[in-house]
């Protein structure tokens, strides 16, 4: 499964930037997008900013990712409680 994560642009240097999500900072290539600015929220996949997001869309995406994480935690707890060794 491929996953792209919304990240906020914190600094820009040419065609790359430092973007942050959840306290994690990473170097991101911005060459696929025009006009990336400080504070923009970009969708990052495999180290590349692939789309700029409006703030509402970014928030919805982050909420969905959080829900998926909570769902996975529940599935892991269920498996541990049932003694199952199957991986999620």
């Amino acid at each position: 499964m491929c996953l792209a994560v919304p990240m906020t642009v914190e600094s820009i240097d040419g065609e790359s930037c430092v973007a942050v999500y959840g306290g994690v900072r990473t170097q991101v290539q911005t060459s696929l997008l025009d006009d990336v600015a400080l504070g923009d929220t970009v969708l990052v996949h495999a180290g590349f900013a692939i789309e700029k997001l409006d703030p509402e869309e970014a928030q919805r995406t982050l909420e969905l990712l959080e829900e998926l994480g909570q769902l996975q935690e529940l599935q892991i707890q269920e498996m541990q409680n049932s003694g199952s060794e199957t991986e999620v």
Side-chain angles (χ1 to χ4, degrees), residues 9 11-19 26-37 42 44 47-50:
V9 175
S11 66
I12 299 173
D13 182 17
E15 290 192 341
S16 68
C17 73
V18 173
T26 189
Q27 192 75 26
V28 176
Q29 293 297 313
T30 59
S31 57
L32 300 176
L33 301 177
D34 295 326
D35 303 323
V36 174
V42 293
V44 178
F48 286 85
I50 59 173

Side-chain angles (χ1 to χ4, degrees), residues 18-67:
V18 173
V20 63
Y21 166 69
V24 176
R25 288 173 175 73
T26 189
Q27 192 75 26
V28 176
Q29 293 297 313
T30 59
S31 57
L32 300 176
L33 301 177
D34 295 326
D35 303 323
V36 174
L38 292 177
D40 281 351
T41 300
V42 293
L43 200 54
V44 178
H45 174 68
F48 286 85
I50 59 173
E51 184 178 348
K52 286 201 292 188
L53 300 176
D54 64 61
E56 292 87 20
E57 184 177 0
Q59 186 60 38
R60 284 192 305 269
T61 302
L62 291 172
E63 288 169 0
L64 287 171
L65 288 173
E66 187 175 318
E67 287 178 27

